Amino acid sequence: MIRPTVWIPRRLSDATLARARATYDLIVKDDDTPGTADEIIAMSGQVDAMIPCHSEHFTADVVARLSPRLRIVANHSVGVDHCDLAALAAAGIVVTNTPDVLSDATAEIAMLLMLGAARHAVTGDRLVRRGEWTSWSPSFMVGKQVTGSRLGIVGMGRVGRAFAAKARGFDMDIHYYNRSRLPADQEQGATFHSDLDSLLAVSDFLSLHCPATPDTRGLMNADRLAKLPAGAVIVNTARGALIDEAALLAAIESRHVAAAGLDCFQVEPGGNPSFAAHENIFMLPHIGSATVRTRDAMGFRALDNLDAFFAGKAPRDRL
Ligand code: 8YV
């Protein structure tokens, strides 16, 4: 059998590359910088498949210029907002993603952000690290207690449910908003809200776990932020596009939102420099799924999809 050729634009895990090399001829972009539109278009004439990350953008414009040689885009990501799925489908290119395998790692980062935002992690670290911790008092760095508080989850998919499972360990009163109500075995006592505003009204902590789509872009705008209880904490490990960052900044400055924990931003890499002045915004550089185990699992899941496709079977994660 002729070995298919695969383009890997980013540095995937060693285990992923080793497994991929056993089956495919690889072209790996060694500088580990995002694949540009021109690179994607040029490579499409040399390969049968690509394993991109969310950093490679398959816009309608790019897809229109792809070579017919490219048959499958096996994403190394669960989110696919970097892909124009309609354009790829019209071009006859199969698209897959990597659900399930990153849910726990991402939920861990959501928990870290929630705790860190609620308990002044940025300020505390700065004080101790710089030798600026010169006094202590019972009224020093008093935060918001997570245990037993009300948590609102927007999007009760795999990551939302993994986060709810961890939050149950903190005895949180879990509420969620989702397109449809979950069966009782998945809901596990969480309260369903068919209306987002009704969820916001009870969310002392709010965590976003829905994809970025035309419907969800700017979801947390000034009006919706105003519907949160005063002193709420907001966490985002999904996509930066879900939050109107100017509105969040205003809500932080007015103290209506007490703190935020953000792993994703409208501009990535880079983030929002206006957030830097606020130590009650705890920020990480989009590392939700960045664990050794999860990176291997994501790479293997993308390869499972490629293997199925080239064996003439339906890839498990075809979108
Ligand atoms: C990944 C993510 O690190 O999978 C996703 O959608 O946002 C991240 O967890 C990244 O997309 C890898 O391509």
Side-chain angles (χ1 to χ4, degrees):
M1 186 187 114
I2 297 172
R3 283 160 60 99
T5 303
V6 179
W7 185 48
I8 298 186
R10 306 308 304 269
R11 190 172 302 141
L12 302 186
S13 77
D14 290 347
T16 302
L17 290 174
R19 178 177 147 183
R21 274 199 188 93
T23 313
Y24 303 103
D25 287 339
L26 300 189
I27 302 178
V28 179
K29 186 164 132 60
D30 283 323
D31 65 3
D32 195 26
T33 57
T36 63
D38 286 345
E39 285 173 322
I40 294 170
I41 293 159
M43 290 311 305
S44 69
Q46 299 177 45
V47 302
D48 309 290
M50 295 182 178
I51 308 183
C53 291
H54 76 285
S55 46
E56 283 67 53
H57 297 274
F58 290 77
T59 61
D61 227 32
V62 167
V63 174
R65 295 165 62 203
L66 293 176
S67 158
R69 175 162 178 190
L70 178 66
R71 296 169 61 202
I72 174 166
V73 172
N75 285 297
H76 178 278
S77 68
V78 64
V80 288
D81 47 309
H82 58 290
C83 291
D84 188 320
L85 295 179
L88 285 157
I93 296 170
V94 169
V95 181
T96 61
N97 68 342
T98 58
D100 300 318
V101 292
L102 44 64
S103 305
D104 278 319
T106 306
E108 282 180 7
I109 286 289
M111 185 55 74
L112 171 67
L113 289 169
M114 181 166 70
L115 292 167
R119 300 300 298 275
H120 306 297
V122 178
T123 302
D125 181 81
R126 192 233 330 136
L127 288 175
V128 182
R129 183 179 302 275
R130 297 198 195 153
E132 294 167 0
W133 176 32
T134 52
S135 67
W136 184 92
S137 125
S139 57
F140 173 59
M141 282 191 56
V142 174
K144 186 178 172 89
Q145 186 143 325
V146 166
T147 303
S149 291
R150 296 178 301 182
L151 167 65
I153 296 180
V154 178
M156 201 62 150
R158 298 172 185 89
V159 183
R161 295 200 299 274
F163 184 55
K166 294 179 187 356
R168 278 187 199 99
F170 285 81
D171 294 329
M172 297 190 85
D173 174 17
I174 299 168
H175 296 251
Y176 72 99
Y177 167 74
N178 202 44
R179 268 176 308 188
S180 51
R181 186 169 178 175
L182 299 182
D185 62 320
Q186 291 185 3
E187 201 172 61
Q188 296 202 17
T191 305
F192 173 61
H193 294 252
S194 57
D195 175 52
L196 179 57
D197 288 351
S198 144
L199 178 86
L200 297 177
V202 298
S203 297
D204 296 316
F205 290 86
L206 182 80
S207 192
L208 306 180
H209 296 285
C210 57
T213 66
D215 287 342
T216 61
R217 279 173 204 281
L219 184 80
M220 291 312 295
N221 56 22
D223 284 352
R224 295 216 172 90
L225 288 166
K227 289 183 171 136
L228 290 167
V233 172
I234 180 162
V235 172
N236 188 9
T237 52
R239 283 292 183 267
L242 301 177
I243 297 183
D244 174 337
E245 292 184 349
L248 176 61
L249 195 62
I252 286 276
E253 282 170 351
S254 74
R255 304 219 163 262
H256 178 66
V257 169
L262 307 174
D263 184 48
C264 43
F265 302 86
Q266 279 175 14
V267 175
E268 293 185 12
N272 187 331
S274 311
F275 289 163
H278 299 275
E279 290 191 348
N280 51 345
I281 307 183
F282 180 21
M283 297 181 277
L284 295 173
H286 201 139
I287 54 166
S289 58
T291 70
V292 172
R293 194 193 303 167
T294 292
R295 286 288 183 246
D296 285 349
M298 291 170 76
F300 278 36
R301 187 83 171 223
L303 288 171
D304 289 347
N305 286 319
L306 274 195
D307 293 352
F309 177 80
F310 287 113
K313 298 182 195 144
R316 175 177 176 185
D317 304 312
R318 183 171 184 171
L319 295 166

